[in-house]
């Protein structure tokens, strides 16, 4: 039986047919994608915090809280 779990990667049948240099390049690209995803997640979380603070100030200014 073939173990389809690869170091933190989602199994894709085509990976078995990638050459050694292609596989190494895929690992670099996937790491870059993960870093960018994390960066976007962090930026969105910061945006949400700023938005929530601004909404609270807006409501206070309108006398709603």
């Amino acid at each position: 039986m073939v173990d389809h779990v690869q170091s933190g990667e989602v199994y894709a049948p085509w990976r078995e047919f990638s050459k050694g240099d292609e596989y190494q390049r895929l690992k670099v690209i996937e790491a870059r994608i993960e870093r960018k995803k994390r960066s976007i997640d962090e930026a969105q979380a910061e945006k949400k915090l700023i938005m929530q603070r601004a909404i609270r100030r807006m409501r206070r200014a309108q006398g709603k809280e």
Side-chain angles (χ1 to χ4, degrees):
M1 178 167 189
V2 177
D3 183 15
H4 294 303
V5 177
Q6 299 165 349
S7 60
E9 303 165 355
V10 175
Y11 172 72
W14 56 266
R15 284 184 188 274
E16 296 174 19
F17 296 91
S18 62
K19 296 179 182 176
D21 57 336
E22 292 171 332
Y23 185 74
Q24 292 302 316
R25 184 69 181 138
L26 276 172
K27 288 173 64 175
V28 170
I29 291 169
E30 288 169 346
R32 186 180 306 155
I33 290 169
E34 284 303 312
R35 284 192 304 273
K36 288 181 180 188
K37 283 181 183 178
R38 258 192 316 260
S39 176
I40 289 171
D41 290 343
E42 291 169 3
Q44 287 175 332
E46 185 176 359
K47 176 186 173 186
K48 183 178 178 181
L49 286 173
I50 291 169
M51 181 184 69
Q52 289 171 340
R53 286 193 302 252
I55 289 171
R56 275 194 297 264
R57 284 192 290 270
M58 178 183 70
R59 288 181 177 158
R60 275 190 231 118
Q62 294 173 346
K64 292 188 178 180
E65 284 188 6

